Amino acid sequence: MMTLPELTLAVIALLVTPGPTNTLMLVAGAERGLAGAARLIPAELAGYLTPILPLALVGATVLAAWPGLHAAVTLTAGMWVAVLAVRLWGLPATGEVGPVDARAVFVTTALNPKALIFGLVILPSPERLGANLTIFAGLVVAVALLWATTGAALRGGSRGQPRALHLLRRLASVWLGAVSLVLILRGAGA
């Protein structure tokens, strides 16, 4: 069992890693500013907790009983991230708000492979699950604010410049496409 400082460092290390949810929070910060992106944090937290709670309680038993489930979840996550990448790529360069809404953040986060690691490896602890989840929730908020703040800072330099936001969306789309390809290959090979 991890100590609380070890748990905190493990959660931070995994949460700050660029991935689909962090990419959406970055783009949301650039498109909507920090306050607009911060409104998406409850959707991110709910998205993480939806798979993590059952996984932390019974996940190891379920995955042992259905070995193909992990591959199916990974493939589904990869396909969802590919859809987001295509949607983000196709947005016009007008600076209007794109597909980064609460639904996209929730679904993307619920399908995020990081949730499997949190729910099966890092957070489960029969005697400390409540404390672990509390620490996790606080860190999700902090890291989401970090990514949204970074996006908002990028917005500050591109205010009134829809081309800069369009370029950021395109870069995020390419990144999401790469993440989706890795997930699909990993799911197909599992």
Side-chain angles (χ1 to χ4, degrees):
M1 178 168 63
M2 286 191 227
T3 65
L4 289 178
E6 291 170 337
L7 174 99
T8 301
L9 288 175
V11 170
I12 289 171
L14 193 53
L15 280 176
V16 299
T17 304
T21 300
N22 291 337
T23 302
L24 291 181
M25 291 305 290
L26 177 79
V27 171
E31 290 178 342
R32 299 163 186 222
L34 180 57
R39 289 186 193 103
L40 299 173
I41 293 174
E44 180 177 344
L45 188 56
Y48 270 126
L49 292 177
T50 297
I52 286 174
L53 287 174
L55 286 172
L57 296 171
V58 296
T61 306
V62 170
L63 287 178
W66 293 316
L69 186 58
H70 183 273
V73 169
T74 304
L75 277 170
T76 303
M79 289 186 285
W80 172 252
V81 173
V83 167
L84 284 176
V86 169
R87 285 176 55 198
L88 203 53
W89 184 271
L91 287 176
T94 60
E96 58 192 57
V97 174
V100 184
D101 58 13
R103 182 180 81 68
V105 170
F106 173 81
V107 172
T108 300
T109 306
L111 293 173
N112 194 327
K114 291 179 187 180
L116 294 173
I117 298 168
F118 287 127
L120 294 172
V121 179
I122 296 176
L123 297 175
S125 171
E127 57 279 341
R128 255 194 11 223
L129 185 58
N132 289 355
L133 288 171
T134 301
I135 291 168
F136 174 76
L139 292 172
V140 165
V141 171
V143 171
L145 285 171
L146 173 72
W147 281 97
T149 300
T150 303
L154 293 172
R155 173 190 181 157
S158 66
R159 219 166 271 208
Q161 298 179 17
R163 287 185 187 267
L165 286 176
H166 186 66
L167 178 62
L168 178 62
R169 287 183 188 144
R170 289 287 171 101
L171 291 172
S173 175
V174 169
W175 175 251
L176 289 175
V179 168
S180 114
L181 184 61
V182 168
L183 290 173
I184 289 170
L185 291 174
R186 193 176 292 159

